[in-house]
């Protein structure tokens, strides 16, 4: 294992966060504050509690997941796409670095950024509502596993994308609707039977439900099913990435 190579890629990517501190940190805090002002104050007056949890606290795990997925996919995809765009990716591919070391550097940095922003969201949310974490270890498990999985997914998107339009296609047009329709701001039990059944085909529902269970011990689906879904998606991403590096798909042409 070439630790120095992993550290070089990792710290180079983390340095980009320091250069864009306003965009990386301040923007999510403002967005979260606005969500609590709009949803917590306006809707919270009409929906006092869901399953015995105050509405403001109920939406906190959904907001964290929305930010975590967006940040991890965005950072993971841009981290590898920009070297492709500038041509510096060939320096990385021609250096004595293995596939595992490249992935550890880029995906590790993207996951770290996502976890940092997610933690900031949690701290910001605690200023608006009273939060309690019933299962802290389960919360950390879902938090870290989701960050790593979707950073890896973003890394794959960055390799697949041919231009900036494709790069932003999934993070901007696919992920937010799935998160909003995955029970971020409501329980799917509040939906009519037909739409409730449709919602169970949304994979993001399982992420949010498992994460919410770690806070309040309430969930729309079995938390074990949530963990299995995340682990299965992680396995798929690892298999796809292994194929990409073996074939050189959109890396060597």
């Amino acid at each position: 294992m070439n630790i120095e190579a992993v550290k070089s890629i990792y710290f180079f990517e983390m340095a980009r966060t320091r250069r864009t501190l306003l965009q990386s940190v301040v923007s999510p805090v403002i967005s979260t504050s606005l969500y609590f002002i709009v949803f917590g104050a306006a809707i919270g007056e009409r929906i006092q509690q869901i399953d015995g949890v105050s509405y403001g606290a109920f939406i906190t795990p959904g907001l964290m997941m929305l930010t975590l997925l967006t940040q991890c996919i965005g950072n993971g995809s841009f981290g590898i796409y920009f070297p492709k765009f500038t041509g510096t990716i060939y320096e990385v591919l021609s250096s004595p670095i293995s596939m595992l070391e490249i992935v550890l550097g880029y995906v590790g940095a993207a996951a770290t950024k996502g976890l940092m922003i997610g933690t900031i969201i949690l701290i910001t949310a605690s200023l608006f509502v009273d939060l309690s974490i019933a299962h802290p270890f389960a919360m950390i498990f879902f938090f870290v596993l989701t960050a790593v999985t979707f950073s890896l997914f973003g890394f794959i998107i960055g390799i697949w994308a041919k231009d900036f339009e494709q790069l932003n296609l999934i993070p901007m047009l696919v992920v937010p609707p799935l998160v909003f329709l995955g029970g971020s701001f409501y329980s799917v039990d509040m939906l009519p039977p037909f739409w409730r059944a449709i919602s169970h085909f949304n994979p993001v529902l399982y992420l949010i439900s498992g994460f919410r269970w770690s806070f309040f011990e309430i969930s729309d689906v079995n938390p074990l099913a949530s963990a299995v879904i995340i682990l299965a998606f992680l396995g798929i991403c690892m298999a796809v990435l292994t194929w990409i590096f073996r074939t050189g798909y959109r890396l060597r042409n």
Side-chain angles (χ1 to χ4, degrees):
M1 176 69 71
N2 190 341
I3 301 298
E4 291 302 318
V6 175
K7 288 169 57 178
S8 297
I9 296 174
Y10 178 86
F11 287 116
F12 178 82
E13 287 299 304
M14 292 303 296
R16 186 155 50 85
T17 302
R18 293 193 295 270
R19 293 193 297 267
T20 59
L21 192 64
L22 184 66
Q23 176 185 351
S24 301
V25 177
V26 178
S27 178
V29 172
I30 295 175
S31 299
T32 302
S33 301
L34 290 174
Y35 273 120
F36 276 105
I37 291 172
V38 174
F39 286 93
I43 300 179
E45 292 181 355
R46 295 168 175 79
I47 306 176
Q48 296 294 329
Q49 289 186 340
I50 297 179
D51 293 332
V53 179
S54 67
Y55 185 73
F58 182 85
I59 66 175
T60 299
L63 284 176
M64 290 180 65
M65 275 294 163
L66 172 61
T67 304
L68 187 66
L69 296 185
T70 304
Q71 290 289 325
C72 288
I73 293 176
N75 287 318
S77 59
F78 188 81
I80 189 63
Y81 176 79
F82 194 71
K84 280 178 53 186
F85 180 75
T86 59
T88 56
I89 186 64
Y90 300 111
E91 298 177 6
V92 177
L93 294 175
S94 61
S95 61
I97 307 175
S98 67
M99 176 197 76
L100 177 62
E101 291 157 358
I102 294 174
V103 172
L104 284 176
Y106 282 110
V107 174
T112 301
K113 295 174 190 177
L115 292 171
M116 288 171 52
I117 301 301
T119 303
I120 292 173
I121 297 301
L122 179 61
I123 295 172
T124 304
S126 66
L127 301 177
F128 291 89
V129 295
D130 292 328
L131 287 174
S132 61
I133 303 176
H135 303 282
F137 291 107
M139 180 265 190
I140 294 172
F141 170 79
F142 280 111
F143 197 35
V144 175
L145 185 61
T146 302
V148 172
T149 300
F150 282 87
S151 294
L152 198 61
F153 181 53
F155 189 80
I156 294 172
I157 293 173
I159 295 175
W160 165 77
K162 291 182 177 180
D163 50 40
F164 284 99
E165 182 178 354
Q166 288 186 348
L167 186 69
N168 293 315
L169 180 65
I170 295 178
M172 299 302 294
L173 295 180
V174 178
V175 173
L178 288 178
V179 175
F180 281 111
L181 297 174
S184 300
F185 302 107
Y186 57 89
S187 171
V188 295
D189 290 335
M190 301 168 66
L191 298 174
F194 174 78
W195 292 109
R196 188 187 313 158
I198 293 297
S199 296
H200 281 80
F201 289 96
N202 182 356
V204 178
L205 170 67
Y206 296 85
L207 308 183
I208 296 175
S209 293
F211 195 54
R212 183 174 286 133
W213 175 86
S214 69
F215 279 81
F216 312 119
E217 293 187 315
I218 58 174
S219 176
D220 293 316
V221 296
N222 191 316
L224 183 59
S226 299
V228 170
I229 290 294
I230 303 175
L231 289 171
F233 189 60
L234 175 62
I236 292 172
C237 289
M238 292 175 65
V240 170
L241 198 57
T242 300
W243 174 80
I244 287 175
F245 274 91
R246 283 180 177 175
T247 61
Y249 174 75
R250 293 196 177 177
L251 282 175
R252 297 170 183 167
N253 52 5

